[in-house]
């Protein structure tokens, strides 16, 4: 089995992306996918998807971790989830505040009985487990918030799907949300609609959380692949079904036979993959 890796950096925003940002995103995605692919050679799909998403969270160009969107009350709340296709375990945090890498809190929760925590419970758990206080706000996001631009742009979640040398698949997704949301709003990113994997396939989504949840998108695509469809066909059929409500979503995925696929309902999700050679789209 040859290892495969695909990552995404959410949707490209014409209104916010000048040539300089575009090139910076391209460079960041290329570097992160290559570093993560090297990591995948000696680590599992699960460990690598956390590694890749942590790097994406640390890059202020993307809406996850450092540089996350600010919610309508001026606070940043992060959501992230992880799914191990081998053990079929899902873990996640919803609307956690003041941590650097929400995906690493999700990783820690993998070995707990209670594996999805929200709000203050997630925050408390992170503190008890050594995650230090970290404010993910950047001057750029504050500026956008103050200009109330976020209401119209906001999409830029990050994610990774990895297939390791032993044939195991994992998916990880992390977001700062859609920007300007009502505090308490739950994103798709820490649900099985936004992030799912089993022994057959793994999917990470970005886009409008409400549309992704309405479609049950990740779990639906993975179920179709499990029942024998190719990844491409499963994605196309599932995206077709979102057309009736103009669902806004993008996905990256890998099937256990090595098929990699990405698609989006609206232009353009930014992504990168590594499989012998590098592909980047920004
Ligand atoms: N899916 C995320 C959310 O709705 C946003 C995004 O993907 O950019 O919270």
């Amino acid at each position: 089995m040859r290892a495969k890796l695909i990552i995404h950096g959410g949707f490209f925003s014409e209104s916010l992306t000048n040539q300089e940002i575009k090139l910076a995103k391209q460079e960041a995605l290329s570097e992160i996918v290559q570093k993560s692919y090297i990591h995948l050679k000696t680590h599992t799909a699960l460990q690598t998807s956390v590694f890749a998403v942590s790097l994406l969270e640390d890059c202020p160009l993307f809406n996850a971790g450092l540089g996350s969107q600010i919610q309508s009350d001026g606070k940043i709340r992060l959501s992230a989830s992880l799914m191990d296709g081998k053990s079929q375990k899902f873990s996640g945090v919803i609307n956690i505040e003041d941590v650097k890498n929400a995906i690493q809190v999700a990783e820690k929760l993998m070995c707990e009985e209670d594996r999805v925590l929200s709000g203050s419970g997630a925050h408390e758990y992170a503190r008890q487990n050594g995650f230090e206080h970290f404010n993910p706000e950047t001057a750029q996001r504050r500026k956008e918030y103050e200009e109330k631009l976020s209401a119209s742009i906001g999409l830029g979640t990050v994610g990774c799907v990895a297939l390791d040398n032993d044939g195991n698949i994992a998916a990880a997704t992390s977001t700062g949300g859609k920007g300007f949301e009502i505090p308490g709003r739950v994103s798709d990113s820490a649900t099985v609609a936004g992030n799912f994997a089993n022994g057959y396939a793994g999917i990470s989504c970005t886009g409008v959380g409400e549309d992704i949840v309405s479609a049950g998108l990740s779990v639906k695509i993975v179920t179709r692949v499990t029942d024998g469809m190719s990844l491409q066909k499963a994605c196309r059929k599932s995206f077709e079904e979102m057309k009736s409500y103009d669902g806004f979503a993008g996905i990256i995925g890998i099937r256990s036979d090595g098929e990699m696929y990405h698609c989006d309902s609206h232009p353009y999700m930014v992504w990168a993959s590594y499989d012998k050679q590098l592909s980047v789209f920004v």
Side-chain angles (χ1 to χ4, degrees), residues 95-207:
N95 289 325
I96 189 171
E97 290 179 39
D98 298 322
V99 292
K100 184 163 178 277
N101 295 103
I103 195 65
Q104 292 176 15
V105 185
E107 182 185 31
K108 189 89 199 162
L109 281 164
M110 260 291 161
C111 52
E112 303 286 355
E113 209 173 304
D114 301 340
R115 288 194 290 274
V116 182
L117 298 182
S118 71
S120 56
H123 179 88
E124 195 51 40
Y125 176 84
R127 289 293 172 270
Q128 281 167 7
N129 283 278
F131 291 87
E132 284 170 11
H133 182 281
F134 181 83
N135 179 2
E137 185 178 311
T138 59
Q140 175 65 23
R141 294 299 186 211
R142 178 55 59 178
K143 187 168 160 264
E144 288 161 20
Y145 172 77
E146 278 162 8
E147 290 168 3
K148 296 197 190 291
L149 271 175
S150 311
S152 61
I153 43 104
L155 303 171
T157 295
V158 302
C160 172
V161 181
L163 169 69
D164 62 29
N165 287 317
D166 294 327
N168 299 314
I169 302 171
T173 306
S174 180
T175 191
K178 64 179 179 183
F180 252 75
E181 57 267 70
I182 301 172
R185 179 231 178 211
V186 175
S187 152
D188 63 293
S189 303
T191 73
V192 295
N195 190 78
F196 197 78
N198 67 10
Y200 295 85
I203 298 286
S204 167
C205 294
T206 181

Side-chain angles (χ1 to χ4, degrees), residues 42-43 71 182 282:
T42 50
H43 295 80
Q71 299 194 342
I182 301 172
V282 176

Side-chain angles (χ1 to χ4, degrees), residues 50-276:
V50 173
F51 178 81
V53 168
S54 298
L55 293 177
L56 288 160
E57 286 177 332
D58 291 344
C59 177
L61 293 168
F62 303 109
N63 172 27
L66 181 67
S68 287
Q69 299 282 345
I70 300 175
Q71 299 194 342
S72 60
D73 63 348
K75 291 194 177 138
I76 290 179
R77 297 180 183 85
L78 311 173
S79 297
S81 71
L82 180 63
M83 184 148 186
D84 179 18
K86 189 179 178 193
S87 65
Q88 288 280 275
K89 280 187 182 172
F90 180 96
S91 63
V93 286
I94 298 172
N95 289 325
I96 189 171
E97 290 179 39
D98 298 322
V99 292
K100 184 163 178 277
N101 295 103
I103 195 65
Q104 292 176 15
V105 185
E107 182 185 31
K108 189 89 199 162
L109 281 164
M110 260 291 161
C111 52
E112 303 286 355
E113 209 173 304
D114 301 340
R115 288 194 290 274
V116 182
L117 298 182
S118 71
S120 56
H123 179 88
E124 195 51 40
Y125 176 84
R127 289 293 172 270
Q128 281 167 7
N129 283 278
F131 291 87
E132 284 170 11
H133 182 281
F134 181 83
N135 179 2
E137 185 178 311
T138 59
Q140 175 65 23
R141 294 299 186 211
R142 178 55 59 178
K143 187 168 160 264
E144 288 161 20
Y145 172 77
E146 278 162 8
E147 290 168 3
K148 296 197 190 291
L149 271 175
S150 311
S152 61
I153 43 104
L155 303 171
T157 295
V158 302
C160 172
V161 181
L163 169 69
D164 62 29
N165 287 317
D166 294 327
N168 299 314
I169 302 171
T173 306
S174 180
T175 191
K178 64 179 179 183
F180 252 75
E181 57 267 70
I182 301 172
R185 179 231 178 211
V186 175
S187 152
D188 63 293
S189 303
T191 73
V192 295
N195 190 78
F196 197 78
N198 67 10
Y200 295 85
I203 298 286
S204 167
C205 294
T206 181
V208 175
E210 287 70 9
D211 294 352
I212 294 167
V213 168
S214 299
L217 197 56
S218 295
V219 71
K220 184 195 276 181
I221 293 171
V222 171
T223 303
R224 285 187 160 141
V225 172
T226 305
D227 290 345
M229 260 190 202
S230 72
L231 183 58
Q232 178 170 343
K233 213 167 165 196
C235 289
R236 289 205 174 153
K237 188 165 169 57
S238 306
F239 271 71
E240 197 57 42
E241 288 165 356
M242 281 193 301
K243 280 193 176 155
S244 58
Y245 55 94
D246 193 28
F248 193 126
I251 66 102
I252 53 170
I254 302 182
R255 191 179 186 224
S256 57
D257 63 357
E259 181 190 2
M260 267 200 288
Y261 193 63
H262 63 88
C263 62
D264 44 28
S265 60
H266 295 70
Y268 303 99
M269 177 184 66
V270 303
W271 59 272
S273 66
Y274 204 91
D275 167 26
K276 259 197 200 153

